[in-house]
Amino acid sequence: MKDKIMNGILFVAEKLQTNKYMSAIKDSFTALLPIIITGAFCTLILNVVLSTTTTGVSLAKVPGFAWLSELSPIFSAANYATLNFFAVGLVVLISINLGKHYGRSEHMLPIVALAAYVALCTTSVSGVVKDAAGNDVAYTVANVLPRNFTNAQGLFLGMFSSILATEIYCKICNSGKLEVRMPETVPTNVAKAFNVLFPSIVTVLVVSTIGFTFHKLFGFTIYEAIAKWIQAPLANVLTGLPGYLLIFFMSTLLWTLGIHGTQVLKPVYETTMLIALDENLAAITTGQKATNILNSAFVSVFTTTTGAGITAGLIIAILIFSKRDDYKAIAKLSIAPGIFNINETMTFGLPIVLNPILMIPFMLAPAVSAIIGYTFTKLGIAAVMAYNIPWTTPPLLAAFLATGGDLGAVLAQFVAICASVLIYIPFVLISNKQAEKA
């Protein structure tokens, strides 16, 4: 029965890991990380260094440093150019990565995918303003692209449209049926442009037609349908503590079987977690209160800090309580990478993978840590996280930066790591007895 269960889990994980769409999404998010971090860094600087109006701590509020606010336009522009446009970058990257699967690497593919995405977007903004007499006046601004189609809110539509456009384009190109063959005297670059002319035209028109037909049949756009039927249910599950704990329990379970659980399940939760963080960031920058406790920064601070399984707790427990020289040697080697949230030396060195004793605390520690972080935040001891941070940011510093300088969050992460030590201690003692018997 145990073998059947493990084989079943491995089969599902392998299917997820080798699925061409999941791989394209995962690789695209990984490639997009510098842009996300740049935008988050700029927002952090704006609020904790340059702002004179923020409700939190800011260097510009210190007497003699008010001149720092003059630098705000630099970081505001960079923030807008990154965080408010990374859905566009995701469309381009998914088409490139998925195109490679079909052997298509021409420059036209991401351009076609981007054109197809824009064809599904609403290109006007409507609203209501007050006139001089105080009456409500409706207005519509045409030929603009609302930012909810370019920032995190547009990620799901971006993934759908990019995959759809790439599939259509690659299938037409690889069939060769609409290829325009030019004489050999025509320059190569011109001939290549004509080779993909009709596939490009057909792809954009088909996607645009799908968007038009969907709206006519159902009375709302594909974007609205995704938000209602996919985005909202996923948010309800993943931004609630039970669903959050379940997805990361599955992640650590895959790790214990030798599969990179974080990378396998990242396409499932990453978009929702980024949207939650983006909403927090938008609230903070407009002077409102951030409300999404569970987000991508929370994942880094309370679930994957020092690596999957929060193996800092295991390192400390081994160094204090282990009588095994092999464990101590590996733990010492793992201190430096562990500070930067890299723990393959532990997972594959001890190993934790397929180790029935260490598998249990490895799956338990992140759940307890997440509950601690969630509870501290819910009680108001720690601030809600609103700033994205590089996944290699060391513990404690990560909590400080992700909250814009909140010491309560630092305390919460410290308590969570201490709890992980307590969780690992009994299992380290069991491994001592296991070694004695051996």
Side-chain angles (χ1 to χ4, degrees), residues 273-395:
M273 294 290 102
L274 280 172
I275 291 172
L277 187 68
D278 185 66
E279 290 173 353
N280 286 351
L281 189 57
I284 291 292
T285 53
T286 55
Q288 299 175 20
K289 189 176 180 180
T291 57
N292 297 321
I293 296 176
L294 300 174
N295 53 63
S296 58
F298 186 95
V299 174
S300 298
V301 173
F302 288 110
T303 309
T304 59
T305 183
T306 70
I310 312 185
T311 47
L314 179 56
I315 292 173
I316 296 170
I318 287 174
L319 294 178
I320 298 175
F321 295 99
S322 181
K323 296 179 181 179
R324 298 182 57 162
D325 292 335
D326 55 342
Y327 273 28
K328 285 187 175 182
I330 294 170
K332 289 175 183 177
L333 289 171
S334 302
I335 293 174
I339 292 173
F340 299 99
N341 307 315
I342 299 167
N343 69 343
E344 275 77 2
T345 51
M346 295 292 287
T347 52
F348 298 106
L350 287 178
I352 297 171
V353 172
L354 297 178
N355 185 327
I357 294 175
L358 296 181
M359 284 167 62
I360 297 171
F362 184 84
M363 292 185 287
L364 185 61
V368 173
S369 176
I371 292 171
I372 290 171
Y374 186 89
T375 304
F376 269 66
T377 309
K378 197 75 174 176
L379 294 175
I381 300 172
V384 178
M385 297 181 179
Y387 305 100
N388 212 332
I389 53 174
W391 66 273
T392 51
T393 306

Side-chain angles (χ1 to χ4, degrees), residues 91-111:
V91 171
V92 171
L93 290 170
I94 287 177
S95 65
I96 292 173
N97 287 312
L98 186 56
K100 290 177 182 177
H101 177 82
Y102 292 107
R104 311 299 308 188
S105 58
E106 58 265 25
H107 296 160
M108 183 52 62
L109 174 55
I111 304 300

Side-chain angles (χ1 to χ4, degrees), residues 35 49 59 81 114 129-130 151 197 204 233 243 262 327 349 356 368 370 382-383:
I35 292 297
V49 177
L59 183 59
L114 185 58
V129 294
K130 298 282 187 182
N151 63 12
L197 174 62
V204 177
T262 308
Y327 273 28
V368 173

Side-chain angles (χ1 to χ4, degrees), residues 87-388:
V88 174
L90 186 70
V91 171
V92 171
L93 290 170
I94 287 177
S95 65
I96 292 173
N97 287 312
L98 186 56
K100 290 177 182 177
H101 177 82
Y102 292 107
R104 311 299 308 188
S105 58
E106 58 265 25
H107 296 160
M108 183 52 62
L109 174 55
I111 304 300
V112 170
L114 185 58
Y117 172 64
V118 175
L120 293 178
C121 296
T122 302
T123 54
S124 64
V125 177
S126 299
V128 177
V129 294
K130 298 282 187 182
D131 62 10
N135 299 316
D136 290 337
V137 178
Y139 71 90
T140 298
V141 180
N143 300 320
V144 294
L145 193 62
R147 73 174 184 173
N148 57 300
F149 288 100
T150 60
N151 63 12
Q153 300 295 323
L155 290 176
F156 279 103
L157 180 64
M159 289 188 287
F160 167 77
S161 65
S162 186
I163 289 171
L164 177 62
T166 304
E167 284 287 336
I168 296 170
Y169 177 91
C170 291
K171 279 183 169 35
I172 295 174
C173 285
N174 290 340
S175 70
K177 292 180 180 179
L178 295 180
E179 183 177 337
V180 177
R181 298 186 181 277
M182 304 297 290
E184 293 183 1
T185 54
V186 176
T188 305
N189 58 334
V190 176
K192 287 182 178 179
F194 273 93
N195 286 343
V196 297
L197 174 62
F198 286 109
S200 302
I201 294 172
V202 172
T203 299
V204 177
L205 285 177
V206 167
V207 174
S208 181
T209 302
I210 290 172
F212 171 80
T213 306
F214 189 94
H215 186 261
K216 284 295 182 182
L217 289 176
F218 298 101
F220 46 84
T221 64
I222 294 177
Y223 172 82
E224 293 167 334
I226 290 174
K228 181 180 179 180
W229 296 337
I230 299 177
Q231 193 167 315
L234 268 178
N236 290 335
V237 172
L238 294 177
T239 57
L241 189 59
Y244 180 91
L245 294 177
L246 176 61
I247 193 73
F248 284 100
F249 172 80
M250 293 302 299
S251 174
T252 50
L253 176 61
L254 291 175
W255 267 108
T256 62
L257 299 176
I259 298 171
H260 199 305
T262 308
Q263 290 297 330
V264 170
L265 294 179
K266 201 171 187 178
V268 177
Y269 67 79
E270 179 78 351
T271 302
T272 303
M273 294 290 102
L274 280 172
I275 291 172
L277 187 68
D278 185 66
E279 290 173 353
N280 286 351
L281 189 57
I284 291 292
T285 53
T286 55
Q288 299 175 20
K289 189 176 180 180
T291 57
N292 297 321
I293 296 176
L294 300 174
N295 53 63
S296 58
F298 186 95
V299 174
S300 298
V301 173
F302 288 110
T303 309
T304 59
T305 183
T306 70
I310 312 185
T311 47
L314 179 56
I315 292 173
I316 296 170
I318 287 174
L319 294 178
I320 298 175
F321 295 99
S322 181
K323 296 179 181 179
R324 298 182 57 162
D325 292 335
D326 55 342
Y327 273 28
K328 285 187 175 182
I330 294 170
K332 289 175 183 177
L333 289 171
S334 302
I335 293 174
I339 292 173
F340 299 99
N341 307 315
I342 299 167
N343 69 343
E344 275 77 2
T345 51
M346 295 292 287
T347 52
F348 298 106
L350 287 178
I352 297 171
V353 172
L354 297 178
N355 185 327
I357 294 175
L358 296 181
M359 284 167 62
I360 297 171
F362 184 84
M363 292 185 287
L364 185 61
V368 173
S369 176
I371 292 171
I372 290 171
Y374 186 89
T375 304
F376 269 66
T377 309
K378 197 75 174 176
L379 294 175
I381 300 172
V384 178
M385 297 181 179
Y387 305 100
N388 212 332

